[in-house]
Amino acid sequence: MAHMFIFAICSALIISRVDLCRIPETLYVLVPQTIPVGYQVTKVETADCDTRSLVLSLKDPSFTIDRNRAIVALSPVSVVGRGRTFSVWVQDNSGQGSEMEVHLMRRTAPETHNSKGLLKRTKRRWSPPPFNLKENMKGPFPKVIDSVVSDSSVTYKVFYTMSGPGVDQAPIGLFTLDRESGMLSVTNAVDREQYPLFNLKVSVFNAENGQPTDLPLNLRVLVDDENDNAPEFAGPLQFTLPERSSAGTAVGQVKATDKDAPETSHVKIKYTLLNGLERFAIQPETGVITTITNTLDREAQDKYMVTVMIKDLFGAVNGLQNTATATISLSDINDNPPTFTKALYEATIKENEVDKLILRIPVEDKDLVNTSNWRSKFVITKGNENGHFRIDTDNSTNEGLLYVVKPLDYENGDKVKLEIQARNEAELTGTTAQWMSVPVDVTVANVDEGPQFSAPTVTFNVVEHVPNGTLIGTYTATDPETKSSNGIMYYKTLDPGSWVNVDRNTGELKVANTIDRESHFVKNGMYNITMRAVDTSSKSGTGTVILVIKDLNDNVPKIPSELVLCESGGDALGSVVFVAEDKDSDPYSSPFTFNMPSDSDGKWSVKKLNDTAATLKQEKPLRRGIHQVPIIIRDLQGNGDTQTATVKICQCRNGVCLANQSSVELGPMGILALLLPLALLLLLFLLLAFFCVTKMDKLEIDDKEYSGGNLLLSNTEGPGDEVDSTLIKVPIGIEQAGKDSVKGSLVNVGWMGTKSSSTIGGHGVHDNGIYQQGITTTKIQDYNSGQYNTQYAGSQLVGNSMSCIDSRYLSQDGGSLRMWQANGNYLHQKLKSFETEGDDIMEDDIIHSYEYEGNGSAAGSVGCCSEYGDNANLDFLNTLDPKFKALAAVCRKS
């Protein structure tokens, strides 16, 4: 019957639909004969249900289902006879519910009578929990552990079942339980470090009906530990310690673990050092390594390797052990100052040199390279009171770099003794050593220097508009070697307004032109002049003269050139605010006074707004357009006059006259201004047409008078020489060509289609000669023949007179060509005559030196003109146009 019952339950579970929320169809529960209130009968187990929408219910009012799905008694319930049965329903949002029948069965137990005749219920008893199992036990297997016996076996014929880890869970099959005798056996060795504990569940059933005869037993199987695991190191064995640490300083802690059972001697580890005992020690219980000396020097040895042994059973002979090497590195401290490689350093520098490296000072440092303990910084402790030197550090070599930053003067001393100290970026620690210093001797070499002004900058006060020739002051210089001013000449190198003359011998500064404080050359009332002093060896020095210009009341307040008054609309009268400006400074400037003239027509009034501004108001209605308004403006000193303000009355937008306003006010003069460019353009076309159709006149070069405005005259060979017109042969057919030749000029032989002509040197005039007869067409290539080349004929003589070309002016018989050749012959003869004539013929062409004009002359000395190289500079002759150079090349030909 019991087998059939179990089979029915299993069949019901197998055939149930797995896709619906379900519970077992039948459940048997052993309960006391009287169930007290609050007694938990059982817990409902569900499968494939939605826990969020799960609903459990039952029909017996004596029981309820709490939130944990446990069936709890609401009132005392007696279980008699064949027991008590009720149903439990379960349903979720799938809509399909399941029903389970719960059968409550009275728990049976033998009863005995006590001495007083009262009935008592004995407790059920399982024997013997718990069980112990030693790990790594030897075979053969299976090996019996113990037996599990329920007291219900005395009353019933029972059988036992077991479940849990080691049975039907991993590791599956490790334990077996004899179904009838309850004998528990193990089938294999167990590793405690993997499975320290097994929680098994043993149940007992009536062999006849399959119903439980006792509550299930939770059986614990403990695996006893065996020292089968050696301790292991945890974490890296890398430690760092500052050098020179005191004895007893903690280096670091060695950490180890053991897989054996905690709180047993199997995991009690002892730490031992196998070497390095002269410098380090280790605490046996904690594994903390400490120093036993204070002499650890990184510069001597920066790393130590020590062997550490760990052993369980706290170091017992039979304990398991492991060893490893710990690395102890020493970190650097600044216990070594930088040292110099020499006891004395020497350097040489020329006087007046500046920003120059004169010495590299190497040092040595035993500390860790490229750290603050190694990097050096240098200090000049002595000899640099005047700030002539600077010392830096070369970051790559750690050397000291000594620079001269302020010029040295040999005359003030040829030797400078310095003392330089080398330090580190970090302070010294762990040592009694001190920073070291080294002497440096700097030799100053003498240099022939230029003169030096008495001061680099000198200031003179001067009143603007002082008369020319007024002495401003004297600015002199001396030779640093001789301390004398003899032979020193003074010049200006910068005088933007040419306001000052300098006496070359004395350095006196005098007014040369009007000094105006309001000039744009003056900044903040000061005007700068740069002076140069030159000695006999052409060496020079410079200085600056600052003229502090005192203001005069030489300017009156001025109003803007045009004022725009916007119409207010209707009968309202407008006004405009204007600002007056006075170039003078206080007290010759603002505040201003504003008034209308006494004979004012009453159309306008002016009212002061502030120190520099006023409001010009319209007192009567006025037409649009330009109005001239007289206003009297005076400065603080009463200096001023009547000025006329140009006021434009117009319709405005954003303070600007509208565009159509200007077109409405356009009068006859405006129309004339628009037509004038058109008339000029028409006149230009008429002139061009006139020049192109007018016959060419002869040109005569007039050299009767000498013009001082010309540096050179190209149409004169020398003063008093004349061109013999009889030497110039002109071709027949060119009327009046040879007759109109004049002295000092050449006949115009350019293209004759224009009235303009060009001559050598540019001094040409028009005459009435007309070339038109005997001119026929010929090829331009014919001009390439003759004693001179095309460049000479076409470029040098013809020049730029190439407009309005007319081939009719080239004769067929080569007359024009012969004329060019004749002119060329004459020029060659003239050049040849220069070689035989004396130098006195050119005496008027040479440069003359002019002497001092004498005392009392208003002009004074000619000054710069007394020297050839001052202002009569002929350097421009080296940059003449290429055409002039070509002419010179032709003239040099023999």
Side-chain angles (χ1 to χ4, degrees):
M1 290 295 292
H3 293 291
M4 292 180 66
F5 174 74
I6 294 174
F7 177 78
I9 293 176
C10 292
S11 298
L13 293 174
I14 292 175
I15 64 175
S16 63
R17 295 181 62 184
V18 295
D19 57 343
L20 297 176
C21 179
R22 64 185 187 277
I23 55 178
E25 292 184 355
T26 305
L27 181 63
Y28 292 88
V29 181
L30 294 175
V31 294
Q33 182 176 358
T34 301
I35 300 175
V37 176
Y39 181 87
Q40 180 176 318
V41 176
T42 186
K43 187 174 182 179
V44 180
E45 300 292 336
T46 62
D48 297 330
C49 295
D50 182 9
T51 56
R52 291 174 298 180
S53 60
L54 182 64
V55 177
L56 294 171
S57 61
L58 52 81
K59 296 182 179 181
D60 194 330
S62 299
F63 300 92
T64 186
I65 300 177
D66 64 10
R67 299 171 62 180
N68 296 323
R69 291 178 288 179
I71 300 175
V72 180
L74 294 177
S75 58
V77 178
S78 296
V79 180
V80 296
R82 299 182 62 87
R84 187 183 179 107
T85 302
F86 57 90
S87 297
V88 176
W89 286 86
V90 62
Q91 187 175 7
D92 61 4
N93 56 7
S94 63
Q96 187 82 23
S98 298
E99 182 181 10
M100 176 180 67
E101 287 187 357
V102 178
H103 299 275
L104 300 181
M105 300 180 61
R106 183 173 58 87
R107 180 183 299 133
T108 59
E111 297 181 354
T112 58
H113 297 278
N114 58 10
S115 58
K116 295 183 180 180
L118 298 176
L119 297 177
K120 295 182 65 177
R121 181 172 61 86
T122 60
K123 297 181 180 179
R124 68 170 181 85
R125 183 167 58 89
W126 288 87
S127 178
F131 296 146
N132 289 75
L133 176 66
K134 189 174 183 179
E135 70 169 329
N136 303 323
M137 64 174 53
K138 307 298 183 185
F141 294 100
K143 187 179 292 291
V144 175
I145 300 176
D146 209 332
S147 61
V148 179
V149 179
S150 174
D151 289 347
S152 62
S153 60
V154 177
T155 307
Y156 306 101
K157 183 180 181 181
V158 297
F159 66 90
Y160 299 93
T161 62
M162 183 173 61
S163 64
V167 181
D168 53 358
Q169 300 176 20
I172 297 175
L174 179 62
F175 298 103
T176 60
L177 182 66
D178 187 274
R179 182 181 177 83
E180 294 181 354
S181 64
M183 189 64 66
L184 179 65
S185 302
V186 62
T187 62
N188 208 339
V190 180
D191 184 8
R192 191 209 66 83
E193 286 69 41
Q194 187 176 8
Y195 301 106
L197 171 67
F198 294 94
N199 287 314
L200 304 178
K201 184 177 181 180
V202 180
S203 301
V204 60
F205 299 93
N206 190 328
E208 295 181 355
N209 54 21
Q211 294 186 8
T213 61
D214 205 341
L215 293 175
L217 172 67
N218 292 324
L219 180 63
R220 299 178 66 201
V221 179
L222 300 176
V223 180
D224 294 334
D225 183 45
E226 182 182 48
N227 191 23
D228 58 342
N229 292 279
E232 297 177 353
F233 290 94
L237 299 179
Q238 301 287 337
F239 307 104
T240 301
L241 176 72
E243 62 174 330
R244 305 286 183 181
S245 294
S246 59
T249 301
V251 178
Q253 184 179 14
V254 178
K255 295 182 180 181
T257 60
D258 198 313
K259 294 180 181 179
D260 290 324
E263 299 180 359
T264 64
S265 60
H266 299 164
V267 296
K268 291 189 177 297
I269 300 172
K270 183 179 181 180
Y271 300 86
T272 307
L273 285 183
L274 301 183
N275 60 358
L277 299 176
E278 68 279 6
R279 297 180 181 88
F280 304 100
I282 192 170
Q283 294 180 4
E285 298 85 0
T286 62
V288 176
I289 300 176
T290 58
T291 60
I292 60 175
T293 180
N294 61 352
T295 60
L296 297 176
D297 187 3
R298 189 202 66 85
E299 287 71 38
Q301 184 177 347
D302 63 348
K303 188 179 295 184
Y304 295 91
M305 315 291 288
V306 295
T307 302
V308 181
M309 182 182 70
I310 52 177
K311 192 173 186 180
D312 59 14
L313 300 180
F314 201 67
V317 177
N318 58 339
L320 302 179
Q321 68 181 33
N322 251 326
T323 59
T325 300
T327 302
I328 302 174
S329 300
L330 297 181
S331 61
D332 186 45
I333 64 172
N334 193 20
D335 58 340
N336 294 281
T339 59
F340 296 98
T341 58
K342 292 183 180 180
L344 173 67
Y345 291 93
E346 296 179 336
T348 301
I349 179 68
K350 294 180 180 180
E351 64 173 332
N352 299 324
E353 288 188 330
V354 68
D355 291 330
K356 183 176 181 180
L357 175 65
I358 63 172
L359 184 64
R360 300 181 75 95
I361 305 176
V363 293
E364 295 177 349
D365 198 315
K366 296 179 181 180
D367 291 318
L368 187 62
V369 177
N370 292 327
T371 64
S372 60
N373 301 329
W374 175 84
R375 286 190 290 268
S376 298
K377 61 180 182 180
F378 299 85
V379 180
I380 304 175
T381 56
K382 293 182 181 178
N384 194 33
E385 289 77 11
N386 295 324
H388 290 280
F389 302 93
R390 182 188 83 241
I391 190 163
D392 298 332
T393 303
D394 189 327
N395 294 328
S396 58
T397 63
N398 211 30
E399 294 176 313
L401 306 177
L402 183 62
Y403 291 89
V404 172
V405 296
K406 185 178 178 181
L408 292 166
D409 190 358
Y410 174 83
E411 286 69 31
N412 293 333
D414 60 347
K415 291 285 186 180
V416 180
K417 292 185 176 296
L418 303 176
E419 185 175 284
I420 296 177
Q421 184 183 81
R423 305 170 62 93
N424 291 126
E425 293 181 358
E427 294 296 328
L428 289 173
T429 181
T431 181
T432 58
Q434 301 294 323
W435 303 119
M436 300 183 65
S437 299
V438 66
V440 177
D441 291 345
V442 180
T443 300
V444 182
N446 188 23
V447 176
D448 186 10
E449 302 171 276
Q452 295 180 354
F453 281 98
S454 57
T457 302
V458 66
T459 302
F460 295 115
N461 296 320
V462 61
V463 180
E464 65 174 334
H465 299 294
V466 296
N468 291 352
T470 301
L471 178 64
I472 299 175
T474 302
Y475 191 34
T476 59
T478 58
D479 190 305
E481 282 78 20
T482 63
K483 306 299 181 181
S484 173
S485 299
N486 295 333
I488 296 178
M489 306 291 288
Y490 302 94
Y491 303 90
K492 294 184 303 179
T493 59
L494 178 64
D495 183 8
S498 300
W499 289 352
V500 176
N501 281 336
V502 179
D503 189 299
R504 292 189 177 182
N505 297 314
T506 63
E508 288 184 346
L509 305 175
K510 294 183 179 181
V511 177
N513 288 300
T514 301
I515 296 177
D516 186 5
R517 187 183 182 279
E518 286 72 39
S519 171
H520 66 278
F521 297 123
V522 178
K523 305 296 183 184
N524 298 322
M526 292 183 290
Y527 177 78
N528 291 346
I529 302 171
T530 303
M531 297 282 292
R532 181 178 296 276
V534 182
D535 61 13
T536 55
S537 61
S538 299
K539 290 184 172 58
S540 64
T542 60
T544 301
V545 176
I546 299 177
L547 298 184
V548 179
I549 302 174
K550 183 179 179 181
D551 190 25
L552 293 178
N553 196 3
D554 57 339
N555 293 278
V556 297
K558 297 291 184 180
I559 62 176
S561 59
E562 183 180 85
L563 303 176
V564 176
L565 190 151
C566 297
E567 290 184 336
S568 301
D571 296 332
L573 299 178
S575 63
V576 60
V577 175
F578 65 92
V579 178
E581 181 181 359
D582 193 331
K583 294 182 179 179
D584 293 326
S585 61
D586 187 70
Y588 306 120
S589 182
S590 60
F592 304 141
T593 58
F594 303 89
N595 295 289
M596 299 298 293
S598 58
D599 57 347
S600 175
D601 55 7
K603 297 179 180 179
W604 301 88
S605 65
V606 64
K607 182 179 180 181
K608 183 176 179 179
L609 187 62
N610 54 34
D611 288 350
T612 59
T615 302
L616 181 62
K617 185 177 180 182
Q618 179 184 355
E619 296 294 338
K620 296 180 181 180
L622 299 173
R623 62 174 179 83
R624 297 178 187 171
I626 305 299
H627 298 266
Q628 304 296 329
V629 182
I631 304 174
I632 301 175
I633 307 178
R634 301 185 186 278
D635 61 18
L636 180 61
Q637 305 299 328
N639 187 24
D641 54 10
T642 301
Q643 300 183 43
T644 301
T646 301
V647 182
K648 185 177 183 180
I649 301 177
C650 61
Q651 289 182 336
C652 298
R653 178 177 299 164
N654 297 327
V656 179
C657 289
L658 298 178
N660 60 357
Q661 184 71 21
S662 59
S663 62
V664 172
E665 296 297 329
L666 185 63
M669 295 302 295
I671 298 175
L672 180 60
L674 293 177
L675 295 179
L676 182 58
L678 297 177
L680 293 176
L681 183 61
L682 179 59
L683 181 59
L684 178 61
F685 285 125
L686 293 176
L687 288 175
L688 291 176
F690 176 75
F691 284 132
C692 291
V693 300
T694 305
K695 290 175 290 185
M696 184 64 188
D697 292 338
K698 295 185 299 179
L699 298 179
E700 179 179 353
I701 301 176
D702 186 4
D703 59 352
K704 295 179 180 179
E705 295 183 1
Y706 179 75
S707 174
N710 296 310
L711 295 175
L712 294 176
L713 294 178
S714 60
N715 64 336
T716 58
E717 287 74 19
D721 288 343
E722 297 181 355
V723 178
D724 189 355
S725 61
T726 60
L727 294 178
I728 301 177
K729 305 297 183 179
V730 298
I732 301 173
I734 303 179
E735 182 180 3
Q736 300 297 329
K739 297 179 181 180
D740 294 329
S741 299
V742 295
K743 63 178 181 179
S745 64
L746 296 178
V747 176
N748 179 17
V749 291
W751 295 104
M752 303 309 172
T754 178
K755 292 181 68 66
S756 64
S757 64
S758 63
T759 62
I760 303 174
H763 290 273
V765 296
H766 294 287
D767 59 18
N768 297 323
I770 302 176
Y771 300 89
Q772 61 183 1
Q773 297 179 0
I775 303 301
T776 58
T777 304
T778 184
K779 296 181 178 180
I780 297 177
Q781 288 84 349
D782 294 340
Y783 288 92
N784 294 331
S785 62
Q787 298 180 7
Y788 50 92
N789 54 25
T790 305
Q791 181 182 7
Y792 174 80
S795 298
Q796 301 302 323
L797 292 179
V798 177
N800 295 325
S801 302
M802 300 295 290
S803 61
C804 302
I805 298 176
D806 192 341
S807 62
R808 296 177 299 170
Y809 297 148
L810 300 178
S811 64
Q812 293 179 346
D813 59 355
S816 296
L817 178 59
R818 287 193 296 273
M819 181 184 69
W820 289 112
Q821 293 174 348
N823 293 340
N825 290 333
Y826 173 76
L827 292 175
H828 286 297
Q829 292 175 11
K830 186 64 178 177
L831 291 174
K832 188 174 182 181
S833 67
F834 286 160
E835 300 177 0
T836 60
E837 294 176 347
D839 294 338
D840 55 343
I841 194 173
M842 299 298 293
E843 63 183 357
D844 289 337
D845 291 340
I846 64 177
I847 300 174
H848 296 274
S849 299
Y850 294 91
E851 301 300 334
Y852 183 68
E853 296 181 3
N855 294 329
S857 172
S861 174
V862 177
C864 61
C865 299
S866 63
E867 299 294 334
Y868 291 158
D870 291 342
N871 292 331
N873 189 0
L874 299 180
D875 291 341
F876 72 93
L877 296 176
N878 297 325
T879 59
L880 293 176
D881 189 88
K883 293 182 179 181
F884 289 94
K885 294 183 179 179
L887 176 60
V890 172
C891 293
R892 284 196 298 270
K893 292 183 180 179
S894 60

